[in-house]
Amino acid sequence: MQHINRTTVNEFFLLGFSHYYSFQHLLFGVVILAYIICVFGNVTIILLVRTEPSLQTPMYFFISIFTVLEIMFASVTIPKLLAILIQTKKNATKTISVPGCFIQMYALNALGETECFLLALMVLDRYLAINKPLHYSTLMTKKFCCVLAIFPWLAGFTISSIPTIFTILLDYCGPDEINQFFCDLAPLQNLACSNPYFSNLATQLAAILSVVFPFITIGALYAHIIGTVLKIDSAEGKQKAFSTCSSHLIVACLFYGTVIAVYIRPKGPNGSQYDKFYSLLYTVVTPVFNPFIYALRNRDVKKVLRNVFVKFLSQTGANIGAITRLKVLTHHENPILKPRWL
């Protein structure tokens, strides 16, 4: 029997943006600024929800979980991207170990699929609030919300493990260059020396379960929500109902729009060169915009931010006034002593 070496590749080379070397330092500055804004913005949302009693509702509970997920999702790819962009030599090696590549691939897909399920869960919460207002507080108890919040993580990490395992079991014995700035299923499957048929099939099934099914669920629930809102007589009631859904709808459209742009759009002859720029949309740009969407499109969050800002200014002014008065009293009560030699 012929001996088959299962894995002869010890590391992969992430080409990243090596074709645009002259712009790498500029891109490094943009990406690190975006990452800082992403972490700061999402952490701000988390702290507001945890500390402000008026925001401790099921809707904001799921939003806080979503912001945690966004920080984790961005942190899977951005640090490695920054390490690639900071390379000073044009032909510098930008490697990632085989185990590190597989771990990054699994984490990225697991968190992405978790986000799909969480977006569907968030619209389910809005559906119950608008279509079942009398039973909403009875249904969405704190215990039940915690149980619901576990489901997206469990489903995302379980489903994504199937194509990941099939991809890991492939033979990698020759090409080792990935024309991306992170490890993903499709690029690795294309590098395999063995037949990736079952790995591709597992990837497609996982995409149907974790991307297509939540997308259809979101569309169906929003159709019911819109139908219910249109039946409301008062314009104020319609506006209030739509305002509770607008932020989530924008985030869902932004997320699925970037996913479609990367994975489902037709591939042109130069598609591989532009794929990495499309990938920046959902790995860097989307996590930056989401906290601002929830902050600027939500009246409750804007009100809390305004109160916190006013409280901060008043507290700062009070502290400055107290320090000034203390200096004046100290100056009058403790005159400056003359040096002994005068």
Side-chain angles (χ1 to χ4, degrees):
M1 182 181 294
Q2 184 180 0
H3 176 72
I4 298 176
N5 191 355
R6 295 295 297 176
T7 303
T8 58
V9 175
N10 296 320
E11 59 186 8
F12 294 107
F13 293 87
L14 297 172
L15 297 181
F17 296 90
S18 55
H19 295 286
Y20 308 94
Y21 178 76
S22 57
F23 298 100
Q24 283 197 170
H25 289 169
L26 175 63
L27 189 58
F28 174 85
V30 173
V31 172
I32 195 170
L33 178 62
Y35 186 57
I36 293 171
I37 294 174
C38 167
V39 174
F40 177 78
N42 284 293
V43 168
T44 300
I45 297 294
I46 295 170
L47 293 177
L48 287 177
V49 173
R50 296 303 181 192
T51 58
E52 180 60 36
S54 63
L55 298 181
Q56 293 178 5
T57 62
M59 182 178 74
Y60 294 107
F61 170 72
F62 293 126
I63 287 176
S64 66
I65 295 176
F66 184 80
T67 54
V68 172
L69 182 59
E70 287 287 80
I71 295 174
M72 296 174 64
F73 185 78
S75 300
V76 170
T77 57
I78 292 181
K80 186 61 180 179
L81 172 60
L82 293 173
I84 293 173
L85 294 174
I86 201 61
Q87 296 283 357
T88 56
K89 296 181 180 180
K90 188 173 182 179
N91 297 321
T93 57
K94 303 162 184 179
T95 61
I96 184 172
S97 66
V98 172
C101 187
F102 289 146
I103 292 172
Q104 185 189 55
M105 176 186 67
Y106 174 65
L108 180 69
N109 285 278
L111 292 172
E113 293 173 13
T114 301
E115 188 164 338
C116 291
F117 286 110
L118 185 57
L119 286 171
L121 180 60
M122 292 168 73
V123 73
L124 174 63
D125 170 70
R126 292 298 83 209
Y127 169 81
L128 293 175
I130 295 174
N131 288 60
K132 309 287 183 181
L134 299 179
H135 305 283
Y136 178 73
S137 58
T138 305
L139 290 172
M140 301 300 289
T141 61
K142 185 176 182 180
K143 182 179 180 180
F144 185 61
C145 288
C146 292
V147 173
L148 287 177
I150 295 173
F151 171 75
W153 297 86
L154 185 62
F157 278 79
T158 301
I159 295 174
S160 63
S161 65
I162 299 173
T164 300
I165 292 172
F166 277 99
T167 304
I168 291 174
L169 294 176
L170 295 173
D171 295 331
Y172 299 95
C173 55
D176 55 5
E177 291 185 347
I178 300 175
N179 193 19
Q180 260 292 6
F181 58 87
F182 60 89
C183 295
D184 204 358
L185 289 167
L188 284 172
Q189 291 164 358
N190 292 334
L191 292 180
C193 300
S194 55
N195 189 351
Y197 172 78
F198 290 106
S199 180
N200 291 335
L201 182 61
T203 302
Q204 293 172 7
L205 291 175
I208 293 172
L209 290 174
S210 58
V211 179
V212 177
F213 179 72
F215 179 75
I216 294 174
T217 303
I218 291 173
L221 289 175
Y222 266 122
H224 283 282
I225 290 173
I226 293 173
T228 302
V229 172
L230 291 177
K231 295 177 182 178
I232 300 176
D233 296 330
S234 64
E236 183 180 355
K238 289 181 181 179
Q239 183 180 1
K240 183 178 180 181
F242 275 126
S243 65
T244 62
C245 302
S246 59
S247 299
H248 176 271
L249 185 59
I250 294 173
V251 169
C253 291
L254 188 61
F255 176 78
Y256 276 101
T258 53
V259 168
I260 291 171
V262 174
Y263 293 106
I264 303 178
R265 67 180 178 85
K267 304 292 183 180
N270 297 322
S272 59
Q273 290 300 324
Y274 298 121
D275 280 349
K276 59 192 73 176
F277 289 100
Y278 287 111
S279 298
L280 283 175
L281 291 176
Y282 76 95
T283 57
V284 178
V285 177
T286 302
V288 172
F289 282 156
N290 286 342
F292 293 99
I293 293 172
Y294 281 119
L296 299 178
R297 295 286 304 178
N298 193 295
R299 290 183 299 178
D300 295 333
V301 176
K302 285 193 292 186
K303 182 179 178 181
V304 171
L305 283 173
R306 192 182 303 112
N307 292 339
V308 170
F309 185 68
V310 171
K311 185 177 180 181
F312 173 77
L313 289 180
S314 61
Q315 186 67 34
T316 303
N319 291 337
I320 294 174
I323 293 172
T324 304
R325 289 192 297 271
L326 181 62
K327 286 183 178 180
V328 171
L329 291 174
T330 304
H331 176 74
H332 287 292
E333 293 176 2
N334 300 292
I336 301 175
L337 298 175
K338 294 183 180 181
R340 293 181 180 179
W341 56 84
L342 292 179

